[in-house]
Amino acid sequence: MEEILKDVDLSMGLSSEEALKKLEVYGYNELPEAPKPTLMAQFLEQFKSILVLILIVAAVISAFFGEIIDTLVIIGITILNAVLGVVQQRRAESALEAVKKLSNPISKVLRDGKIQTIPSREIVPGDLLILEAGDKVNCDGVLVEVHGLMVDESTLTGESVPVTKVTATDSSNITEESMVFMGTAVTKGRAKVLVRSTGSNTKLGQIASRMKELKKERTPLEIQLDVLGKILGLTFVVVCIVILIMGLLRGIPFEEMILTSISLAVAAIPEGLPAVVTIVLALGVAEMARRKAIVRNLPAVETLGSVTVICTDKTGTLTQNKMTLVEIYTDAIHLSEEELNASMVPYELQRAMVLCNDATKETGDPTEIALISWLPDEVIDKFRATNPRVYEVPFTSERKRMSTVHKFDDKYLIVSKGAVEVILDICTYELVKDNRIAPLTETRKSAILSVAEGLASQGLRILAIAEGRIDNPPHSDEEVEKNLLFLGLLCLKDPLRPEVKEAVESCRNAGIRPVMITGDHQVTAYSIARELDFPEGRVLTSNDLANLSDEELAEHIEDVSVFARINPLDKLKIVEAFQKKQEVVAMTGDGVNDAPALKKSDIGVAMGQSGTEVAKEASDMILLDDNFATLVSAVFQGRTIYENIRKFVVYLLSCNIGEVIIMFFAIIFGYPAPLLPLQLLWLNLVTDSFPALALGMEPGEPEIMNRHPRGKKEPLLTGYHMGIILTQSIAIGLATLLSFIFTYNNGNLSEARTVAYMTLVISELIRVFSARSFETPFYRTRISSNKFLFYSILGAFALLLISVYIPPLARVFNNVRPTIRDLDIIIPFAFVPFIVSEIAKLIRRP
C-alpha cells in the first residue's frame, strides 16, 4: 500500500507517462483466461466426430479389400473436411472476438489533473478511479473520498444487501469497509478510489485463476439441431443397414455394398449442423455489431425473432439526447429560448442552475449541460468559486431530484432540482415578482402543476428548481430537502431522432408492440408517443402501478402504450406482467436500477453511450448508439439469421434425404447402386460446405418485417418446412433416379452413374437459387446481393468438372466423359427440383 501511495497526487492523479510505465510493469487489467486451443489441437478435435470415425472405418475396409486409391481418396477427403472445419471454426471465433472487443468496459480515472474515460483494461495501480452509481468496479482499491457510497458485493460474498463504504483514514487502518473490489457494482453515491491491485492480483482475479476452465455455452438452437441430427442419423443408419442387406440379397458384391452403405451414411447424416449454426450465428453477430448492436450471448439472436413487445426508454433512445433550454417560467417572467441571457434571467435562478449541476459545457449529463451552456464561462466559474459545494444528495430515479449544499457567506445555500411535483412537495415558499418571497399554498402548487402540464403537452421536459438556506452544515439528507423556496420551471427540448418514426412503423408492421417507459411527465410522454405514432392506449404512472395488483396489471397491460413517471424498479413489474400474457419482451435500460428488469426480460438491451456498466453487465445486447432504430434493425437481423439457418437446414436435409431415396429405390427396383462411395463423399464435400453455408449469409428479405413474430416455443422446422423438405427430397430423388435409369437402359453402368452423379450435383447447385427464399420466387431475388453464394456455386461447379473431365481424377471416381446425349438427359433433369420448388412457392402463396 505504501508503495502505491508514494508520489501519488490525489488532486492530479498519475501523469500519462507514469501510467504507461506502470502498464508495462503490471500488465493489462484483465482476468486470466483459459489458454486458447492451438491450431493443431483444433485440427485433431475434428477427428473426434462420429462421421470422421465412420470415414476412417471406410478407409480401413477399402484398404482391406485392396482398394488403395479409394483408401487414399477417403483419407484425403477426411483431411480436407478437417481443414475446412478448422477454417470455419477460426472464422467464427475471430468474429466473436471482434464483437467482444467492442463491448469492453470503460472507467473514469483522474490523470494529468483531468477526468478521463479509458478502457478498464488500461487501469494501473496508483490510478485514481472515479466511481458513480451504476459503475462496475474494475479493480481493487482504497477509498480516499466517499459521498454516500453503497456497493453491491454479491458477486464476491453472495450477500445481496449493498454495503455502505467509508473513507480510509490512513494507510495503516484500511478495512474492507474502506475498500472496493473488482466485480462489484456501485448502487448509490460516488467516490474516488486509489487503485491498489489490477487483473489477476485482485481478489476476483485470484478466484478466476482457480476457475479457468469454463464450459462453452451452447445455444438452444444448437442443442435442438444436435438432437435432430442424432434422430436423423440413427434413422439413416438403419436405412443404410437395410440398403446393405437388400443389396447383398440382390447379389451385389459385399465390398461394394459395405462401402456404399458407409459412404451413404456419411453423406446423409447431418452431423455437422450444430457447427454450421455456430458459424452462421457468429457471422450474424459480427454483422449486427457492424450495425451498432453488440450481442453479448448467442441465444439472444434466436430470441430476437420472437420479440412481440419492445419496452423502450424515451430520452436518448427515441430522442437525440441533445437537450436545449427553450423556456423559463417563474411567477415574474416567462422567457423563450431567444430571450435567454444573463440580463433577463433572475440572478437566483442562474446561480441555482450552475451550483446544482455536475457538468461542464463540454462533459456531463446532457440535461445539466443544457442548463449552463447559454451562460458565459466567467459567470459559471464565479458561482462555483464563490459557493463551493460541501454536501450533496445525489439524483436517483426513485427520488427524481438532486440536492446540493454550498458555502454561502457565513451560512449554507441549498439548491434542489428535479421533477415538478417532487420539488413542490419540499417547498413552502415561492420567489415572486420584485424578488419578494410569498407562501406557496396548495392552490398555487396546483396552478404551477397545471402550467407544467401545458408545457409538457408540447413535448417539453420540465424541471423545477428551488433553493433554501441553513445556518450549519447538514448531517443528514432530511435536513436538506425541506422548507425550500420555489424558484421556477425550466423547459428543455430534446429533438426526436429522425429515423425513429419509420422504425416504430416497421415494428408495428412486424407484429411488435412498442411501449414507452420514461421518467418524464405523462403529458410529455403521451405527446411524443402520438408524434411517433405509437399504438393508441392508456398512460400509467408509478402511482397507478402501486394501486394495481400483479394480476390486475397483467389483465390490462396490453391496453397500455406509455408508462410515465416510472420508478426503474417498476420496470420489473411491467416485464413480468407482459410475460404473464405470453409476450416475448425486449426491455431497454441504462441505470443501475434497470438491471433486474434487464435480466428478467427475454432480451435485455443496454445503452452503449449513456448506460452504466451494471446495466451493460445485466443485458443481452448493447446499442452502441442508444438508438431505437438500431434495436428494430437488430430484430430484423435476428429474424434474418434464424430464417437463414432454416434455409440451409431445409436445403441440406432435402439433399440428404434425396440421396437415401435414390439408393433405396434403385435397389428395390433391381438396379445397381446409382452412386459410388467416392461420388457420395465428393458430393457431400461439394454441396454441404460452401453453397449451404452461403445460404446462411443471405441478406434479409424485406418481407420478413411484415410477418408476425415467431412463436416462443416454435421449433426450427415446422410442418410447413417439413413439407418443403419432403417435396424437395422426392423431386431430387426422382430426377436423379430417372436420369440413371434412362442412361443405364441405353448405355453402360459407368456412364449411368456419371449421369446420376452430375444430375444430382448440378440440381443441387441450381436448386440453391430457389432455396434463398421459402416464399419469394427466384426471379424477384437479386443474385448480386449474395456474392459469397455466387462464388461458392462457381467453386462447387469447378470441383464437379474436375472430378469428371480430368482423366486421372475421373478414373478415381469411376466417371466417364458425358456425351451430348448424356447432357440432354442431365440438364433437363437437373432443373426438375428447382422447377418443383418454384411451382410449390406459387401454390403455397395465399
Side-chain angles (χ1 to χ4, degrees), residues 807-819:
L809 283 176
R811 284 194 294 273
V812 169
F813 288 96
N814 272 315
N815 287 326
V816 297
R817 187 180 293 268
T819 64

Side-chain angles (χ1 to χ4, degrees), residues 672-683:
L675 297 165
L676 292 173
L678 291 184
Q679 290 175 329
L680 283 168
L681 293 174
W682 196 250
L683 168 74

Side-chain angles (χ1 to χ4, degrees), residues 222-325:
E222 287 176 310
I223 295 169
Q224 187 184 153
L225 280 174
D226 200 19
V227 172
L228 175 66
K230 287 175 180 175
I231 293 171
L232 290 174
L234 183 61
T235 304
F236 288 148
V237 166
V238 171
V239 171
C240 290
I241 292 171
V242 171
I243 289 174
L244 170 64
I245 295 170
M246 289 173 60
L248 294 175
L249 293 175
R250 295 281 306 162
I252 300 174
F254 175 78
E255 174 195 347
E256 182 179 330
M257 282 312 304
I258 189 69
L259 288 174
T260 298
S261 298
I262 289 174
S263 301
L264 182 60
V266 171
I269 298 172
E271 193 265 0
L273 281 181
V276 179
V277 167
T278 302
I279 294 162
V280 172
L281 284 174
L283 295 178
V285 164
E287 174 62 20
M288 292 172 75
R290 194 179 68 80
R291 296 169 182 255
K292 301 188 182 301
I294 303 296
V295 174
R296 299 184 69 247
N297 56 69
L298 288 181
V301 180
E302 302 166 33
T303 310
L304 275 170
S306 302
V307 168
T308 58
V309 173
I310 295 179
C311 296
T312 176
D313 290 322
K314 176 185 74 68
T315 303
T317 309
L318 300 176
T319 63
Q320 297 179 29
N321 203 18
K322 294 178 180 177
M323 294 287 186
T324 305
L325 184 64

Side-chain angles (χ1 to χ4, degrees), residues 81-263:
N81 267 321
V83 170
L84 288 174
V86 171
V87 169
Q88 292 172 344
Q89 184 179 343
R90 289 250 160 174
R91 187 178 180 189
E93 288 173 355
S94 297
L96 291 176
E97 192 65 31
V99 171
K100 183 180 176 182
K101 287 179 180 177
L102 289 174
S103 60
N104 278 341
I106 56 174
S107 298
K108 288 191 286 290
V109 295
L110 182 66
R111 286 184 184 173
D112 300 316
K114 298 178 182 177
I115 295 177
Q116 303 177 22
T117 300
I118 64 170
S120 297
R121 68 194 295 263
E122 295 178 8
I123 295 173
V124 295
D127 257 327
L128 286 174
L129 180 69
I130 308 300
L131 292 178
E132 297 173 344
D135 284 349
K136 196 85 174 173
V137 181
N138 289 300
C139 63
D140 288 0
V142 179
L143 291 160
V144 295
E145 185 180 311
V146 170
H147 298 278
L149 187 71
M150 298 188 74
V151 179
D152 177 0
E153 296 185 340
S154 57
T155 51
L156 289 177
T157 65
E159 183 61 51
S160 59
V161 179
V163 178
T164 301
K165 295 291 183 175
V166 297
T167 305
T169 53
D170 57 68
S171 60
S172 63
N173 188 29
I174 295 173
T175 64
E176 290 203 349
E177 285 72 27
S178 59
M179 288 190 68
V180 289
F181 302 97
M182 177 181 272
T184 60
V186 179
T187 60
K188 187 179 179 183
R190 59 189 182 90
K192 186 184 290 184
V193 177
L194 179 63
V195 178
R196 185 176 188 177
S197 306
T198 58
S200 57
N201 294 321
T202 62
K203 185 181 278 192
L204 184 64
Q206 291 165 8
I207 296 171
S209 297
R210 299 191 292 268
M211 298 176 61
K212 286 184 182 179
E213 294 300 325
L214 297 175
K215 192 172 181 180
K216 184 189 173 188
E217 178 185 31
R218 297 180 73 207
T219 74
L221 184 56
E222 287 176 310
I223 295 169
Q224 187 184 153
L225 280 174
D226 200 19
V227 172
L228 175 66
K230 287 175 180 175
I231 293 171
L232 290 174
L234 183 61
T235 304
F236 288 148
V237 166
V238 171
V239 171
C240 290
I241 292 171
V242 171
I243 289 174
L244 170 64
I245 295 170
M246 289 173 60
L248 294 175
L249 293 175
R250 295 281 306 162
I252 300 174
F254 175 78
E255 174 195 347
E256 182 179 330
M257 282 312 304
I258 189 69
L259 288 174
T260 298
S261 298
I262 289 174
S263 301

Side-chain angles (χ1 to χ4, degrees), residues 532-750:
L532 290 174
D533 201 23
F534 269 59
E536 189 62 58
R538 297 173 60 190
V539 180
L540 293 184
T541 66
S542 275
N543 289 337
D544 298 323
L545 295 182
N547 295 322
L548 292 173
S549 67
D550 291 346
E551 291 70 26
E552 288 172 328
L553 178 59
E555 183 180 345
H556 298 292
I557 192 136
E558 292 185 323
D559 299 326
V560 182
S561 290
V562 176
F563 291 91
R565 282 290 189 246
I566 286 296
N567 181 321
L569 296 178
D570 285 329
K571 285 187 173 184
L572 179 61
K573 191 173 182 179
I574 294 167
V575 169
E576 290 173 337
F578 274 120
Q579 289 176 334
K580 283 179 182 176
K581 302 297 285 187
Q582 304 306 309
E583 302 285 4
V584 180
V585 185
M587 169 68 77
T588 70
D590 54 11
V592 61
N593 291 325
D594 291 332
L598 292 175
K599 277 188 175 292
K600 178 64 178 173
S601 62
D602 300 278
I603 294 283
V605 183
M607 302 296 107
Q609 293 180 351
S610 62
T612 60
E613 291 301 319
V614 172
K616 293 175 186 177
E617 191 76 18
S619 69
D620 300 293
M621 187 166 72
I622 300 172
L623 302 182
L624 293 180
D625 58 359
D626 294 10
N627 194 337
F628 179 80
T630 301
L631 174 54
V632 177
S633 173
V635 171
F636 171 75
Q637 288 296 316
R639 288 188 176 191
T640 296
I641 291 167
Y642 198 88
E643 191 73 358
N644 285 348
I645 290 172
R646 273 181 166 161
K647 288 173 187 176
F648 75 67
V649 170
V650 168
Y651 174 77
L652 283 181
L653 293 186
S654 300
C655 180
N656 293 351
I657 296 171
E659 291 167 13
V660 174
I661 289 173
I662 294 164
M663 302 297 286
F664 186 79
F665 283 99
I667 293 175
I668 280 185
F669 294 144
Y671 289 97
L675 297 165
L676 292 173
L678 291 184
Q679 290 175 329
L680 283 168
L681 293 174
W682 196 250
L683 168 74
N684 198 42
L685 180 68
V686 169
T687 61
D688 286 13
S689 53
F690 295 116
L693 184 58
L695 281 177
M697 300 171 68
E698 276 290 301
E701 300 176 58
E703 298 83 2
I704 206 167
M705 288 300 277
N706 292 328
R707 303 172 195 164
H708 281 278
R710 188 181 73 251
K712 193 173 184 180
K713 296 184 178 179
E714 181 180 299
L716 178 69
L717 300 179
T718 64
Y720 171 80
H721 302 103
M722 292 295 191
I724 296 174
I725 292 172
L726 182 62
T727 304
Q728 285 292 290
S729 299
I730 293 172
I732 293 164
L734 193 60
T736 306
L737 195 55
L738 287 177
S739 70
F740 171 78
I741 292 171
F742 286 165
T743 310
Y744 181 71
N745 290 339
N746 296 290
N748 60 52
L749 181 57
S750 292

Side-chain angles (χ1 to χ4, degrees), residues 227-424:
V227 172
L228 175 66
K230 287 175 180 175
I231 293 171
L232 290 174
L234 183 61
T235 304
F236 288 148
V237 166
V238 171
V239 171
C240 290
I241 292 171
V242 171
I243 289 174
L244 170 64
I245 295 170
M246 289 173 60
L248 294 175
L249 293 175
R250 295 281 306 162
I252 300 174
F254 175 78
E255 174 195 347
E256 182 179 330
M257 282 312 304
I258 189 69
L259 288 174
T260 298
S261 298
I262 289 174
S263 301
L264 182 60
V266 171
I269 298 172
E271 193 265 0
L273 281 181
V276 179
V277 167
T278 302
I279 294 162
V280 172
L281 284 174
L283 295 178
V285 164
E287 174 62 20
M288 292 172 75
R290 194 179 68 80
R291 296 169 182 255
K292 301 188 182 301
I294 303 296
V295 174
R296 299 184 69 247
N297 56 69
L298 288 181
V301 180
E302 302 166 33
T303 310
L304 275 170
S306 302
V307 168
T308 58
V309 173
I310 295 179
C311 296
T312 176
D313 290 322
K314 176 185 74 68
T315 303
T317 309
L318 300 176
T319 63
Q320 297 179 29
N321 203 18
K322 294 178 180 177
M323 294 287 186
T324 305
L325 184 64
V326 293
E327 290 186 49
I328 291 178
Y329 170 87
T330 71
D331 177 70
I333 57 170
H334 185 187
L335 300 176
S336 65
E337 185 176 3
E338 294 76 20
E339 298 171 304
L340 289 179
N341 60 67
S343 63
M344 297 289 289
V345 179
Y347 179 83
E348 292 82 2
L349 206 54
Q350 293 182 42
R351 181 177 61 197
M353 284 191 276
V354 171
L355 296 181
C356 190
N357 195 317
D358 292 326
T360 67
K361 286 187 176 182
E362 292 77 29
T363 62
D365 179 81
T367 298
E368 294 196 325
I369 292 174
L371 295 182
I372 61 173
S373 61
W374 59 280
L375 282 167
D377 290 340
E378 57 270 19
V379 172
I380 298 171
D381 294 341
K382 181 181 178 182
F383 280 135
R384 288 178 172 172
T386 308
N387 308 108
R389 186 184 299 185
V390 297
Y391 190 87
E392 67 182 81
V393 187
F395 174 87
T396 67
S397 300
E398 294 82 14
R399 294 173 0 94
K400 297 192 182 340
R401 65 176 177 250
M402 167 189 183
S403 299
T404 56
V405 181
H406 305 264
K407 200 82 174 71
F408 185 70
D409 296 332
D410 58 344
K411 298 183 183 294
Y412 294 89
L413 177 70
I414 300 167
V415 186
S416 288
K417 73 169 187 287
V420 180
E421 63 274 21
V422 172
I423 294 298
L424 288 176

